[in-house]
Structure formats: C-alpha cells, structure tokens
Coordinates of all heavy atoms in Angstrom, one line a residue:
M1 N 72.1 -9.8 -156.7 CA 72.4 -8.4 -156.4 C 73.4 -8.4 -155.3 O 74.4 -7.6 -155.2 CB 71.1 -7.8 -156.1 CG 71.3 -6.2 -155.9 SD 71.8 -5.5 -157.4 CE 72.1 -3.8 -157.0
V2 N 73.1 -9.0 -154.2 CA 73.9 -9.0 -152.9 C 75.3 -9.6 -153.3 O 76.3 -9.1 -152.9 CB 73.2 -9.7 -151.7 CG1 74.1 -9.8 -150.6 CG2 71.9 -9.1 -151.4
T3 N 75.3 -10.6 -154.1 CA 76.5 -11.2 -154.5 C 77.5 -10.3 -155.2 O 78.6 -10.2 -155.0 CB 76.3 -12.5 -155.3 OG1 75.4 -13.4 -154.6 CG2 77.5 -13.2 -155.6
I4 N 76.8 -9.5 -156.1 CA 77.6 -8.6 -156.9 C 78.3 -7.5 -156.0 O 79.4 -7.1 -156.1 CB 76.8 -8.0 -158.1 CG1 76.4 -9.0 -159.1 CG2 77.5 -6.8 -158.7 CD1 75.4 -8.6 -160.1
L5 N 77.3 -7.0 -155.0 CA 77.8 -5.9 -154.2 C 79.0 -6.4 -153.2 O 79.9 -5.8 -153.0 CB 76.7 -5.4 -153.3 CG 75.6 -4.6 -154.1 CD1 74.5 -4.2 -153.1 CD2 76.3 -3.3 -154.6
L6 N 78.7 -7.7 -152.8 CA 79.8 -8.3 -152.0 C 81.0 -8.5 -152.7 O 82.1 -8.3 -152.1 CB 79.2 -9.7 -151.4 CG 80.0 -10.3 -150.4 CD1 80.3 -9.4 -149.0 CD2 79.5 -11.6 -150.0
E7 N 81.0 -9.0 -153.9 CA 82.0 -9.2 -154.8 C 82.9 -7.8 -154.9 O 84.1 -7.8 -154.9 CB 81.8 -9.8 -156.1 CG 83.0 -10.2 -157.0 CD 82.4 -10.8 -158.2 OE1 81.7 -11.7 -158.1 OE2 82.9 -10.3 -159.3
G8 N 82.1 -6.7 -155.1 CA 82.8 -5.4 -155.3 C 83.5 -5.0 -154.0 O 84.6 -4.5 -154.1
V9 N 82.8 -5.1 -152.9 CA 83.5 -4.8 -151.6 C 84.7 -5.6 -151.4 O 85.8 -5.0 -151.0 CB 82.4 -4.9 -150.5 CG1 83.1 -4.7 -149.1 CG2 81.3 -3.9 -150.7
L10 N 84.6 -6.9 -151.6 CA 85.8 -7.7 -151.3 C 87.0 -7.4 -152.4 O 88.2 -7.5 -151.8 CB 85.4 -9.2 -151.5 CG 84.6 -9.7 -150.4 CD1 84.0 -11.1 -150.7 CD2 85.3 -9.6 -149.1
F11 N 86.7 -7.0 -153.6 CA 87.7 -6.7 -154.5 C 88.4 -5.4 -154.0 O 89.6 -5.3 -154.0 CB 87.1 -6.4 -155.9 CG 88.2 -6.0 -156.9 CD1 89.1 -6.8 -157.4 CD2 88.2 -4.6 -157.3 CE1 90.1 -6.4 -158.3 CE2 89.1 -4.2 -158.2 CZ 90.0 -5.1 -158.7
I12 N 87.6 -4.5 -153.6 CA 88.1 -3.2 -153.0 C 89.0 -3.4 -151.8 O 90.1 -2.8 -151.6 CB 87.0 -2.0 -152.7 CG1 86.4 -1.6 -154.0 CG2 87.6 -1.0 -151.9 CD1 85.2 -0.8 -153.9
A13 N 88.5 -4.3 -151.0 CA 89.3 -4.7 -149.7 C 90.7 -5.3 -150.2 O 91.7 -5.1 -149.6 CB 88.5 -5.6 -148.8
L14 N 90.6 -6.1 -151.1 CA 91.8 -6.8 -151.6 C 92.7 -5.8 -152.2 O 94.0 -6.0 -151.9 CB 91.4 -7.9 -152.8 CG 92.6 -8.6 -153.4 CD1 93.3 -9.5 -152.5 CD2 92.2 -9.3 -154.6
V15 N 92.3 -4.9 -153.0 CA 93.2 -3.9 -153.4 C 93.8 -3.1 -152.4 O 95.0 -2.7 -152.4 CB 92.4 -2.9 -154.5 CG1 93.3 -1.7 -154.9 CG2 92.1 -3.7 -155.8
A16 N 93.0 -2.8 -151.4 CA 93.5 -2.0 -150.3 C 94.6 -2.8 -149.5 O 95.7 -2.1 -149.1 CB 92.4 -1.6 -149.4
V17 N 94.4 -4.0 -149.3 CA 95.4 -4.8 -148.6 C 96.7 -4.9 -149.4 O 97.7 -4.8 -148.9 CB 94.8 -6.2 -148.3 CG1 95.8 -7.3 -147.8 CG2 93.7 -6.2 -147.2
V18 N 96.6 -5.2 -150.7 CA 97.8 -5.2 -151.5 C 98.6 -3.8 -151.5 O 99.8 -4.0 -151.3 CB 97.4 -5.6 -152.9 CG1 98.6 -5.4 -153.9 CG2 96.8 -7.1 -153.1
V19 N 97.9 -2.8 -151.6 CA 98.5 -1.4 -151.5 C 99.2 -1.3 -150.2 O 100.3 -0.8 -150.0 CB 97.6 -0.3 -151.9 CG1 98.1 1.0 -151.5 CG2 97.2 -0.4 -153.2
A20 N 98.5 -1.7 -149.0 CA 99.1 -1.6 -147.8 C 100.3 -2.4 -147.6 O 101.3 -1.9 -147.0 CB 98.0 -1.9 -146.7
L21 N 100.3 -3.6 -148.1 CA 101.5 -4.5 -148.0 C 102.7 -4.0 -148.8 O 103.8 -4.0 -148.4 CB 101.0 -5.8 -148.5 CG 100.3 -6.7 -147.4 CD1 99.9 -8.1 -148.2 CD2 101.0 -7.0 -146.2
L22 N 102.3 -3.3 -150.0 CA 103.4 -2.9 -150.8 C 104.1 -1.6 -150.1 O 105.3 -1.5 -150.1 CB 102.9 -2.4 -152.2 CG 102.7 -3.5 -153.2 CD1 102.0 -3.0 -154.5 CD2 104.0 -4.1 -153.5
A23 N 103.1 -0.8 -149.6 CA 103.7 0.4 -148.8 C 104.5 0.0 -147.6 O 105.6 0.5 -147.4 CB 102.5 1.3 -148.4
Y24 N 104.1 -1.0 -146.9 CA 104.8 -1.5 -145.8 C 106.2 -2.1 -146.2 O 107.2 -1.8 -145.6 CB 104.0 -2.7 -145.0 CG 104.7 -3.2 -143.9 CD1 104.8 -2.6 -142.7 CD2 105.3 -4.5 -144.1 CE1 105.6 -3.3 -141.6 CE2 105.9 -5.1 -142.9 CZ 106.0 -4.4 -141.8 OH 106.6 -5.0 -140.7
G25 N 106.2 -2.8 -147.3 CA 107.4 -3.4 -147.7 C 108.4 -2.3 -148.2 O 109.5 -2.3 -147.9
V26 N 107.7 -1.3 -149.0 CA 108.7 -0.1 -149.5 C 109.3 0.6 -148.3 O 110.5 0.9 -148.2 CB 107.9 0.7 -150.4 CG1 108.7 2.0 -150.8 CG2 107.7 -0.1 -151.7
F27 N 108.4 1.0 -147.4 CA 108.8 1.9 -146.3 C 109.7 1.1 -145.3 O 110.5 1.7 -144.5 CB 107.6 2.5 -145.6 CG 107.0 3.6 -146.5 CD1 105.7 3.5 -147.0 CD2 107.8 4.9 -146.8 CE1 105.2 4.5 -147.7 CE2 107.1 5.8 -147.5 CZ 105.9 5.7 -148.0
G28 N 109.5 -0.1 -145.1 CA 110.1 -1.0 -144.0 C 111.4 -1.5 -144.5 O 112.2 -1.8 -143.6
F29 N 111.5 -1.9 -145.8 CA 112.6 -2.8 -146.0 C 113.5 -2.4 -147.3 O 114.2 -3.1 -147.8 CB 112.1 -4.2 -146.3 CG 111.3 -4.7 -145.2 CD1 109.9 -4.9 -145.2 CD2 112.0 -5.2 -144.0 CE1 109.2 -5.4 -144.1 CE2 111.3 -5.8 -143.0 CZ 109.9 -5.8 -143.0
T30 N 113.4 -1.1 -147.7 CA 114.1 -0.6 -148.7 C 115.0 0.6 -148.4 O 114.7 1.3 -147.5 CB 113.3 -0.3 -150.0 OG1 112.5 0.8 -149.6 CG2 112.5 -1.5 -150.4
P31 N 116.1 0.7 -149.0 CA 116.9 2.1 -148.7 C 116.0 3.4 -149.0 O 116.2 4.3 -148.2 CB 118.0 2.0 -149.8 CG 118.1 0.6 -150.1 CD 116.8 -0.1 -150.1
A32 N 115.2 3.3 -149.9 CA 114.3 4.5 -150.2 C 113.4 4.8 -148.9 O 113.1 5.8 -148.4 CB 113.4 4.3 -151.4
G33 N 112.9 3.6 -148.4 CA 112.0 3.7 -147.2 C 112.8 4.3 -146.0 O 112.3 5.1 -145.2
R34 N 114.1 3.7 -145.8 CA 115.0 4.2 -144.8 C 115.1 5.7 -144.9 O 115.1 6.6 -144.0 CB 116.3 3.5 -144.7 CG 117.0 3.8 -143.5 CD 118.4 3.1 -143.4 NE 118.4 1.9 -144.1 CZ 119.2 1.5 -145.2 NH1 119.9 2.5 -145.8 NH2 119.1 0.4 -145.8
W35 N 115.5 6.2 -146.2 CA 115.7 7.6 -146.5 C 114.5 8.4 -146.1 O 114.6 9.5 -145.5 CB 116.0 7.7 -148.0 CG 116.4 9.1 -148.5 CD1 117.6 9.7 -148.3 CD2 115.5 10.0 -149.0 NE1 117.6 11.0 -148.8 CE2 116.2 11.3 -149.3 CE3 114.2 10.1 -149.4 CZ2 115.6 12.4 -149.8 CZ3 113.6 11.1 -149.9 CH2 114.4 12.3 -150.1
L36 N 113.3 8.0 -146.5 CA 112.0 8.7 -146.2 C 111.9 8.8 -144.7 O 111.5 9.8 -144.2 CB 110.9 8.0 -146.9 CG 110.8 8.2 -148.3 CD1 109.7 7.2 -148.9 CD2 110.6 9.5 -148.7
R37 N 112.2 7.7 -143.9 CA 112.0 7.7 -142.5 C 112.9 8.7 -141.9 O 112.6 9.5 -141.0 CB 112.2 6.3 -141.9 CG 110.8 5.5 -141.8 CD 111.0 4.4 -140.9 NE 112.3 3.8 -140.8 CZ 112.7 2.7 -141.6 NH1 111.8 2.3 -142.5 NH2 113.9 2.3 -141.5
Q38 N 114.2 8.7 -142.4 CA 115.2 9.6 -141.7 C 114.8 11.1 -142.1 O 115.0 11.9 -141.2 CB 116.7 9.3 -142.3 CG 117.1 7.9 -141.8 CD 118.3 7.4 -142.5 OE1 118.7 8.0 -143.6 NE2 119.0 6.5 -141.8
T39 N 114.2 11.3 -143.2 CA 113.9 12.7 -143.5 C 112.7 13.0 -142.8 O 112.7 14.2 -142.2 CB 113.5 12.7 -145.1 OG1 114.7 12.3 -146.0 CG2 113.1 14.1 -145.4
A40 N 111.7 12.2 -142.4 CA 110.7 12.4 -141.6 C 111.1 12.8 -140.2 O 110.7 13.6 -139.5 CB 109.6 11.4 -141.7
N41 N 112.1 12.0 -139.7 CA 112.7 12.2 -138.4 C 113.3 13.6 -138.2 O 113.2 14.3 -137.3 CB 113.7 11.2 -138.1 CG 113.1 9.7 -137.9 OD1 112.0 9.6 -137.6 ND2 113.9 8.7 -137.9
R42 N 114.0 14.0 -139.2 CA 114.7 15.3 -139.2 C 113.7 16.4 -139.2 O 113.9 17.3 -138.4 CB 115.7 15.5 -140.5 CG 116.2 16.8 -140.6 CD 117.2 17.0 -141.7 NE 116.6 16.5 -143.1 CZ 115.8 17.4 -143.8 NH1 115.5 18.5 -143.3 NH2 115.2 17.0 -144.9
R43 N 112.6 16.3 -140.0 CA 111.6 17.2 -140.0 C 110.9 17.4 -138.6 O 110.6 18.4 -138.2 CB 110.6 17.1 -141.2 CG 111.2 17.3 -142.4 CD 110.2 17.2 -143.7 NE 110.7 17.4 -144.8 CZ 110.4 16.9 -146.0 NH1 109.4 16.2 -146.0 NH2 111.1 17.2 -147.2
R44 N 110.6 16.1 -138.0 CA 109.9 16.2 -136.8 C 110.9 16.9 -135.6 O 110.3 17.7 -135.0 CB 109.6 14.7 -136.4 CG 109.0 14.6 -135.0 CD 108.6 13.1 -134.7 NE 109.7 12.2 -135.1 CZ 110.7 11.8 -134.4 NH1 110.8 12.5 -133.2 NH2 111.5 11.0 -134.8
I45 N 112.1 16.6 -135.7 CA 113.0 17.2 -134.7 C 113.2 18.8 -135.1 O 113.1 19.6 -134.1 CB 114.4 16.5 -134.8 CG1 114.2 15.2 -134.2 CG2 115.4 17.2 -134.0 CD1 115.4 14.2 -134.5
E46 N 113.2 19.1 -136.3 CA 113.3 20.5 -136.6 C 112.0 21.3 -136.2 O 112.1 22.4 -135.7 CB 113.5 20.8 -138.1 CG 114.9 20.4 -138.5 CD 115.0 20.5 -140.0 OE1 114.1 20.6 -140.7 OE2 116.2 20.4 -140.5
R47 N 110.9 20.6 -136.4 CA 109.6 21.2 -136.0 C 109.5 21.5 -134.5 O 109.1 22.5 -133.9 CB 108.4 20.4 -136.6 CG 107.1 21.0 -136.4 CD 106.0 20.3 -137.1 NE 106.0 18.9 -137.1 CZ 106.3 18.0 -138.0 NH1 106.5 18.5 -139.1 NH2 106.4 16.7 -137.8
R48 N 109.8 20.4 -133.8 CA 110.0 20.5 -132.3 C 111.0 21.4 -131.8 O 110.7 22.2 -130.9 CB 110.2 19.1 -131.7 CG 110.2 19.2 -130.2 CD 109.8 17.8 -129.6 NE 109.7 18.0 -128.2 CZ 108.6 17.8 -127.6 NH1 107.5 17.6 -128.1 NH2 108.6 17.9 -126.1
S49 N 112.1 21.5 -132.5 CA 113.1 22.6 -132.1 C 112.5 24.0 -132.3 O 112.8 24.9 -131.5 CB 114.3 22.4 -132.8 OG 115.2 23.4 -132.7
A50 N 111.7 24.2 -133.4 CA 111.2 25.6 -133.7 C 110.2 25.9 -132.7 O 109.8 27.1 -132.5 CB 110.6 25.6 -135.1
L51 N 109.6 24.9 -131.9 CA 108.5 25.1 -130.9 C 109.1 25.2 -129.6 O 108.2 25.4 -128.6 CB 107.4 24.1 -131.1 CG 106.6 24.1 -132.4 CD1 105.8 22.9 -132.3 CD2 105.9 25.3 -132.7
T52 N 110.4 25.0 -129.4 CA 110.9 25.0 -128.2 C 111.7 26.4 -127.9 O 112.6 26.8 -128.6 CB 112.0 23.9 -128.0 OG1 111.2 22.7 -128.2 CG2 112.5 23.8 -126.6
C53 N 111.3 27.0 -126.8 CA 111.9 28.2 -126.3 C 113.2 27.9 -125.5 O 113.1 27.0 -124.7 CB 111.0 29.1 -125.6 SG 111.8 30.5 -124.7
P54 N 114.4 28.6 -125.7 CA 115.5 28.2 -124.9 C 115.3 28.4 -123.4 O 115.9 27.8 -122.6 CB 116.6 29.1 -125.5 CG 116.0 29.9 -126.6 CD 114.5 29.6 -126.7
T55 N 114.5 29.3 -123.0 CA 114.1 29.7 -121.7 C 113.0 28.9 -121.1 O 113.2 28.5 -120.0 CB 114.0 31.2 -121.6 OG1 115.0 32.0 -122.2 CG2 113.8 31.6 -120.1
H56 N 111.9 29.0 -121.8 CA 110.7 28.4 -121.1 C 110.4 27.0 -121.7 O 109.3 26.4 -121.2 CB 109.5 29.4 -121.5 CG 109.8 30.7 -120.9 ND1 110.0 31.8 -121.7 CD2 109.8 31.1 -119.6 CE1 110.3 32.9 -121.0 NE2 110.1 32.5 -119.7
G57 N 111.1 26.4 -122.6 CA 110.8 25.1 -123.1 C 109.9 25.0 -124.2 O 109.6 25.9 -124.9
Y58 N 109.2 23.9 -124.4 CA 108.4 23.5 -125.4 C 107.0 24.0 -125.3 O 106.4 24.2 -124.2 CB 108.2 21.9 -125.6 CG 107.2 21.5 -126.6 CD1 107.6 21.5 -127.9 CD2 105.9 21.0 -126.1 CE1 106.7 21.1 -128.9 CE2 105.1 20.7 -127.2 CZ 105.4 20.6 -128.5 OH 104.5 20.3 -129.5
H59 N 106.4 24.4 -126.4 CA 105.1 25.1 -126.4 C 104.4 24.5 -127.6 O 105.0 24.3 -128.7 CB 105.1 26.7 -126.6 CG 105.5 27.4 -125.4 ND1 104.8 27.5 -124.3 CD2 106.7 27.9 -125.1 CE1 105.5 28.2 -123.3 NE2 106.6 28.3 -123.8
R60 N 103.1 24.3 -127.6 CA 102.3 23.8 -128.7 C 102.2 25.0 -129.7 O 102.4 26.1 -129.4 CB 101.0 23.3 -128.3 CG 101.0 22.2 -127.3 CD 99.6 21.8 -126.9 NE 99.1 22.9 -126.1 CZ 97.9 23.0 -125.6 NH1 97.1 21.9 -125.7 NH2 97.5 23.9 -124.8
E61 N 102.1 24.5 -131.0 CA 102.1 25.5 -132.1 C 101.1 26.6 -132.0 O 101.3 27.8 -132.2 CB 102.0 24.8 -133.4 CG 102.4 25.7 -134.6 CD 102.6 24.9 -135.8 OE1 102.5 23.7 -135.8 OE2 103.0 25.5 -136.8
H62 N 99.8 26.2 -131.6 CA 98.8 27.3 -131.6 C 99.0 28.1 -130.3 O 98.2 29.1 -130.1 CB 97.4 26.5 -131.6 CG 97.1 25.7 -130.4 ND1 97.4 24.5 -130.3 CD2 96.6 26.1 -129.2 CE1 97.0 23.9 -129.2 NE2 96.4 24.9 -128.5
D63 N 100.0 27.9 -129.4 CA 100.2 28.8 -128.2 C 101.1 30.0 -128.6 O 101.3 30.8 -127.7 CB 100.6 28.0 -127.1 CG 99.6 27.0 -126.5 OD1 98.3 27.4 -126.7 OD2 100.0 26.0 -125.8
L64 N 101.9 29.8 -129.6 CA 103.0 30.7 -129.9 C 102.3 32.1 -130.3 O 101.1 32.1 -130.8 CB 103.9 30.3 -131.1 CG 104.5 29.0 -130.7 CD1 105.5 28.6 -131.9 CD2 105.6 29.1 -129.4
V65 N 103.1 33.1 -130.3 CA 102.6 34.5 -130.6 C 103.3 34.8 -131.8 O 104.5 34.8 -132.0 CB 102.8 35.4 -129.5 CG1 102.5 36.9 -129.9 CG2 102.2 35.1 -128.3
R66 N 102.6 35.3 -132.9 CA 103.2 35.8 -134.2 C 103.4 37.3 -134.1 O 102.5 38.1 -133.9 CB 102.3 35.4 -135.4 CG 103.0 35.9 -136.7 CD 102.1 35.3 -137.9 NE 101.9 33.8 -137.8 CZ 102.9 33.1 -138.4 NH1 104.1 33.6 -138.9 NH2 102.8 31.7 -138.3
L67 N 104.7 37.6 -134.2 CA 105.0 39.1 -134.2 C 104.6 39.7 -135.6 O 104.3 39.0 -136.5 CB 106.5 39.2 -134.0 CG 106.9 38.6 -132.6 CD1 108.4 38.7 -132.5 CD2 106.2 39.3 -131.4
P68 N 104.5 41.1 -135.6 CA 104.1 41.8 -136.8 C 105.1 41.5 -138.0 O 104.7 41.4 -139.0 CB 104.1 43.3 -136.6 CG 104.0 43.3 -135.0 CD 104.6 42.0 -134.4
G69 N 106.4 41.2 -137.7 CA 107.2 40.8 -138.7 C 107.2 39.4 -139.2 O 107.8 39.0 -140.2
G70 N 106.4 38.6 -138.6 CA 106.1 37.2 -139.1 C 106.8 36.2 -138.2 O 106.6 34.9 -138.3
E71 N 107.8 36.5 -137.3 CA 108.4 35.6 -136.5 C 107.5 35.1 -135.4 O 106.6 35.8 -135.0 CB 109.7 36.3 -135.9 CG 110.7 36.8 -136.8 CD 110.5 38.2 -137.0 OE1 109.8 38.9 -136.3 OE2 110.9 38.7 -138.2
R72 N 107.7 33.9 -134.8 CA 106.9 33.4 -133.8 C 107.7 33.5 -132.4 O 108.9 33.3 -132.6 CB 106.5 32.0 -134.1 CG 105.6 31.9 -135.3 CD 105.2 30.5 -135.5 NE 106.3 29.7 -135.8 CZ 106.3 28.3 -135.9 NH1 105.1 27.7 -136.0 NH2 107.3 27.6 -136.2
I73 N 107.1 33.8 -131.4 CA 107.7 33.8 -130.0 C 106.9 33.1 -129.1 O 105.7 33.0 -129.1 CB 107.9 35.3 -129.8 CG1 108.8 35.5 -128.5 CG2 106.6 36.0 -129.6 CD1 109.2 37.0 -128.2
C74 N 107.6 32.6 -128.0 CA 106.9 32.0 -126.9 C 106.1 32.8 -126.2 O 106.3 34.1 -126.1 CB 108.0 31.3 -126.1 SG 107.8 31.5 -124.4
P75 N 104.8 32.5 -125.8 CA 103.9 33.4 -125.1 C 104.5 34.1 -123.8 O 104.2 35.2 -123.5 CB 102.6 32.7 -124.8 CG 103.1 31.2 -124.9 CD 104.2 31.2 -125.9
Q76 N 105.4 33.2 -123.1 CA 105.9 33.8 -121.8 C 106.9 34.9 -122.2 O 107.0 35.9 -121.4 CB 106.5 32.7 -121.1 CG 105.4 31.7 -120.5 CD 105.9 30.4 -120.1 OE1 106.7 29.8 -120.8 NE2 105.4 29.8 -119.0
C77 N 107.8 34.7 -123.2 CA 108.8 35.7 -123.5 C 108.0 36.9 -124.0 O 108.4 38.0 -123.7 CB 109.6 35.2 -124.7 SG 110.8 34.0 -124.3
Y78 N 106.9 36.8 -124.7 CA 106.1 37.9 -125.2 C 105.5 38.7 -124.1 O 105.6 39.9 -124.0 CB 105.0 37.5 -126.2 CG 104.3 38.7 -126.7 CD1 104.7 39.4 -127.9 CD2 103.0 39.1 -126.3 CE1 104.0 40.4 -128.4 CE2 102.4 40.0 -126.8 CZ 102.8 40.8 -127.9 OH 102.0 41.8 -128.4
A79 N 105.0 37.9 -123.0 CA 104.5 38.6 -121.9 C 105.6 39.3 -121.2 O 105.3 40.4 -120.6 CB 103.8 37.6 -121.0
E80 N 106.7 38.7 -121.0 CA 107.9 39.4 -120.3 C 108.3 40.7 -121.0 O 108.5 41.8 -120.4 CB 109.1 38.5 -120.2 CG 108.8 37.3 -119.2 CD 109.9 36.4 -119.2 OE1 111.0 36.6 -119.9 OE2 109.8 35.4 -118.5
V81 N 108.4 40.7 -122.4 CA 108.8 41.8 -123.2 C 107.8 43.0 -123.0 O 108.2 44.1 -122.9 CB 109.1 41.4 -124.6 CG1 109.3 42.7 -125.5 CG2 110.3 40.6 -124.7
H82 N 106.5 42.5 -123.1 CA 105.5 43.5 -123.1 C 104.9 43.8 -121.7 O 103.8 44.5 -121.7 CB 104.5 43.2 -124.1 CG 104.9 43.3 -125.6 ND1 104.9 44.5 -126.2 CD2 105.4 42.3 -126.3 CE1 105.5 44.3 -127.4 NE2 105.7 42.9 -127.5
D83 N 105.4 43.2 -120.7 CA 105.1 43.5 -119.3 C 103.5 43.1 -119.0 O 102.9 44.0 -118.5 CB 105.5 44.7 -118.8 CG 105.4 45.0 -117.3 OD1 105.6 43.9 -116.6 OD2 105.2 46.1 -116.8
V84 N 103.2 42.2 -119.7 CA 101.7 41.8 -119.5 C 101.6 41.0 -118.2 O 102.3 39.9 -117.9 CB 101.2 40.9 -120.7 CG1 99.8 40.5 -120.5 CG2 101.4 41.7 -121.9
T85 N 100.6 41.3 -117.4 CA 100.4 40.5 -116.1 C 99.3 39.6 -116.4 O 98.3 39.9 -117.1 CB 100.1 41.4 -115.0 OG1 99.0 42.2 -115.3 CG2 101.3 42.3 -114.6
G86 N 99.2 38.5 -115.8 CA 98.1 37.5 -115.9 C 98.6 36.2 -116.5 O 98.2 35.3 -116.8
Ligands
LIG101 ZN1 110.2 31.8 -123.9

C-alpha cells in the first residue's frame, strides 16, 4: 500500500519537474519566451507609471483615491484639491 502511494507521489513529482523544465526552456530560450518577457516588462512599467503622480511620486495601488468619474488620483493631490487637513 505504501509502495503504491509512494509511486503515485513520485509520478506526480516527475510530471511537475518535466512541466517546470519545459516552461523554463520555453520562457528562457525561445523567441516566444522573449516576446512574453518583453510584454510583461511593458505591462509592469505601464502599471508603475499609472501609479506614479508627477508631483508626489509613486503610490501603492490601494492608497489611490477613486473619483466619482472612475479616474484614480494620488491621495495628496486629492487632499490638496479638497483642502483636507491631516
Ligand atoms: Zn499627487
């Protein structure tokens, strides 16, 4: 019984290792992997740019203020516009 369970666990581990190696090979050494990495880099930079206020700098996403129209604004700009103290 233990042998059957151990064999099943080892088979699953083998499949996981093979999938990980294939993914590493595809993402690391092929033009498609380079394209995916470059696209991920662009998205990361765009996301960071959207979170950066030109005046006050970078803010975390959950610190931003959502305006009634749906746009997001930096909390310090919102406080300055609405004259909030504190
Ligand atoms: Zn700001």
Side-chain angles (χ1 to χ4, degrees):
M1 183 68 184
V2 173
T3 306
I4 293 172
L5 290 174
L6 187 62
E7 185 179 307
V9 168
L10 288 176
F11 178 74
I12 292 172
L14 176 67
V15 170
V17 167
V18 168
V19 168
L21 285 175
L22 282 175
Y24 178 75
V26 167
F27 287 114
F29 302 106
T30 63
R34 186 179 335 111
W35 183 84
L36 288 171
R37 273 199 321 274
Q38 290 171 347
T39 302
N41 289 342
R42 177 178 52 81
R43 288 187 180 150
R44 179 174 42 82
I45 291 169
E46 287 174 352
R47 187 170 43 248
R48 181 149 182 113
S49 173
L51 297 175
T52 302
C53 171
T55 306
H56 302 109
Y58 174 76
H59 291 278
R60 292 177 299 180
E61 189 165 9
H62 68 270
D63 289 338
L64 297 180
V65 176
R66 182 171 300 277
L67 299 176
E71 302 93 21
R72 295 181 303 176
I73 187 173
C74 132
Q76 291 159 320
C77 287
Y78 184 80
E80 288 174 6
V81 168
H82 293 279
D83 197 25
V84 177
T85 57

